[in-house]
Amino acid sequence: MSAASILDSRTSWMRLTLTLVIAIVGNAGMWSAIVVLPDMQAEFGLGRADSSLPYTLFMLGFAVGSFGMGKLVDKLGVTRAIWISSVVTIVAFTLASLSPIYWIVALLHAVLGFATATFFGPLMADISLWFFRRRGIAVAIAASGNYLAGAIWPILLSDVIAEQGWRGAYLALAAITLVVILPLSVFLRQQVPAEAIATADARASARASAVSISPRLLTGLLIVAALGCCVAMSMPQVHIVAYCVDLGYGPAVGAEMLSVMLLGGVISRLISGLIADKLGGVVTLLIGSTLQCIALFLYLPFDGLVPLYMVSAVFGLSQGGIVPAYALVVREYMPAREAGARVGLVIAATMVGMALGGWMSGWIYDLTRSYQAAFLNGIAWNILNVAIMLLILFRAKSRALPNPA
């Protein structure tokens, strides 16, 4: 197979399939931290803000890991990065399950987040090297592993937690990481030929030179936009289980609602990937962010069980394509040799936003004893994101969004 023909080839799609499976298992830690929140709060006698701390530290660790592990992927390849992250994940899950001290458990979530980061941004960056004409849908599929994990693991873990507690669930996740991820990662050792990367880079450079915005300014704007959209995104995702408990529906219903939300996110990501292949990353991002803001407004008037299921589905269908679009924008205008680090940097900003938003929503709840103000806070941050994307679109004068093909 020639260097040029390997892009978008059968080899590329097989690699994408393995990447998706690894992402589904590897991202379990992000959602387990949400599902165990009520149990940890009860066991350690915490307030809502303090019980949100493991998730907040997880996302901060995820942010650092997105950049750090992204650079490692650029230097050592994705397989070695996955090996390192898998070992750290196994150790962190195991130690957290055994620790009787809450602050140790919380800090281990930061370590867990650092390791888990490899299974999101760096995987998207890696798979983006294997596609050109279908890069949008390929990155969307790889990113869907995160949401599929969110749709699958809350339901599976809720049963384990009911029988063995959250500590038993964490031990189970350590074992699954060992059995699934390490063997599959061996098949990702092949690298894209240098000639294929050079061809893709030449087209990206030509596209970037046609845009009236510097790469440094574009990166800075994307970082701020990523922070804003994910502070908003974190409100329903992080607190939906606790919100359902407060309303009297119970944690199992909250876990189901989270799964509905994230399954909608998977659909949204796939549709957004197809849109991005036609319109480019910036327009796709703007569409998703606008729809997410509308969906957040819908949470304000409704708290009935059926309406909440419906609104959660709408929210998932609205926002799923936002984060992968950042990776697409970076790859459309930045060289492949910096893909891991640059995608990781922007993804890190999204994780900081999720961490900040998750904690901030709990803090607002503790002050007001209601999530209404927290939803309004998320809406305000979302408007900031929309404004930045409109600014980028204006500065680019529509030329930032040619057909990537």
Side-chain angles (χ1 to χ4, degrees):
M1 182 179 293
S2 68
S5 64
I6 198 170
L7 299 182
D8 300 277
S9 67
R10 181 179 179 182
T11 299
S12 302
W13 289 102
M14 291 179 63
R15 186 181 186 90
L16 177 58
T17 301
L18 291 173
T19 297
L20 179 61
V21 175
I22 290 172
I24 290 173
V25 178
N27 280 282
M30 177 181 294
W31 308 107
S32 65
I34 296 173
V35 176
V36 303
L37 188 153
D39 290 77
M40 282 192 180
Q41 182 178 4
E43 177 179 333
F44 293 104
L46 306 169
R48 188 61 49 83
D50 285 341
S51 63
S52 301
L53 186 60
Y55 180 83
T56 299
L57 291 177
F58 180 98
M59 299 309 289
L60 290 175
F62 200 112
V64 176
S66 294
F67 179 66
M69 298 308 294
K71 292 193 69 173
L72 193 65
V73 168
D74 288 338
K75 292 182 179 181
L76 301 181
V78 70
T79 297
R80 291 182 181 179
I82 290 174
W83 288 346
I84 294 171
S85 295
S86 297
V87 172
V88 174
T89 297
I90 292 167
V91 172
F93 269 134
T94 302
L95 291 179
S97 71
L98 299 175
S99 176
I101 302 173
Y102 177 69
W103 289 106
I104 293 178
V105 173
L107 290 173
L108 284 169
H109 277 77
V111 177
L112 185 61
F114 183 92
T116 303
T118 302
F119 305 112
F120 191 52
L123 283 186
M124 284 193 287
D126 174 74
I127 204 63
S128 74
L129 303 177
W130 290 82
F131 290 85
F132 187 76
R133 291 182 297 107
R134 295 290 179 263
R135 182 184 291 157
I137 187 61
V139 169
I141 291 172
S144 294
N146 176 273
Y147 272 5
L148 284 171
I152 293 169
W153 291 111
I155 293 176
L156 295 179
L157 291 175
S158 62
D159 293 335
V160 178
I161 292 170
E163 294 182 3
Q164 303 179 27
W166 68 268
R167 298 179 185 275
Y170 272 28
L171 284 175
L173 288 174
I176 292 170
T177 301
L178 175 64
V179 172
V180 176
I181 295 181
L182 286 175
L184 289 182
S185 64
V186 175
F187 297 99
L188 300 183
R189 288 180 295 178
Q190 183 179 0
Q191 296 185 359
V192 182
E195 297 89 339
I197 291 179
T199 299
D201 278 356
R203 295 177 182 178
S205 177
R207 188 182 299 112
S209 65
V211 178
S212 59
I213 187 171
S214 70
R216 178 175 296 180
L217 177 58
L218 177 60
T219 301
L221 289 173
L222 288 176
I223 289 172
V224 177
L227 183 69
C229 78
C230 289
V231 168
M233 191 183 300
S234 68
M235 174 53 237
Q237 286 190 5
V238 176
H239 288 272
I240 192 65
V241 176
Y243 187 39
C244 288
V245 171
D246 289 348
L247 294 174
Y249 301 130
V253 169
E256 291 178 358
M257 210 169 289
L258 179 62
S259 294
V260 168
M261 184 188 302
L262 297 176
L263 282 174
V266 172
I267 296 172
S268 175
R269 285 191 169 174
L270 297 179
I271 293 174
S272 295
L274 295 172
I275 293 173
D277 283 333
K278 297 295 183 181
L279 302 179
V282 176
V283 167
T284 304
L285 213 164
L286 179 59
I287 292 171
S289 184
T290 302
L291 293 176
Q292 175 180 268
C293 193
I294 294 172
L296 283 171
F297 271 108
L298 294 177
Y299 275 103
L300 294 174
F302 301 110
D303 61 5
L305 184 59
V306 174
L308 276 177
Y309 271 110
M310 295 178 65
V311 173
S312 295
V314 170
F315 181 80
L317 290 169
S318 301
Q319 53 78 44
I322 294 176
V323 174
Y326 290 114
L328 291 174
V329 174
V330 171
R331 283 294 293 121
E332 286 171 7
Y333 300 98
M334 307 293 178
R337 66 180 179 276
E338 302 173 358
R342 288 189 177 273
V343 170
L345 183 61
V346 178
I347 295 299
T350 69
M351 297 304 111
V352 171
M354 293 294 289
L356 176 62
W359 173 83
M360 188 181 295
S361 296
W363 176 71
I364 292 172
Y365 175 89
D366 286 342
L367 287 178
T368 65
R369 310 310 300 175
S370 169
Y371 276 121
Q372 292 293 300
F375 278 117
L376 290 172
N377 176 68
I379 290 168
W381 283 89
N382 203 136
I383 291 173
L384 171 64
N385 174 271
V386 171
I388 291 173
M389 299 320 300
L390 287 172
L391 174 63
I392 292 175
L393 195 61
F394 175 77
R395 287 289 302 270
K397 299 174 183 175
S398 300
R399 290 184 296 169
L401 309 165
N403 187 332

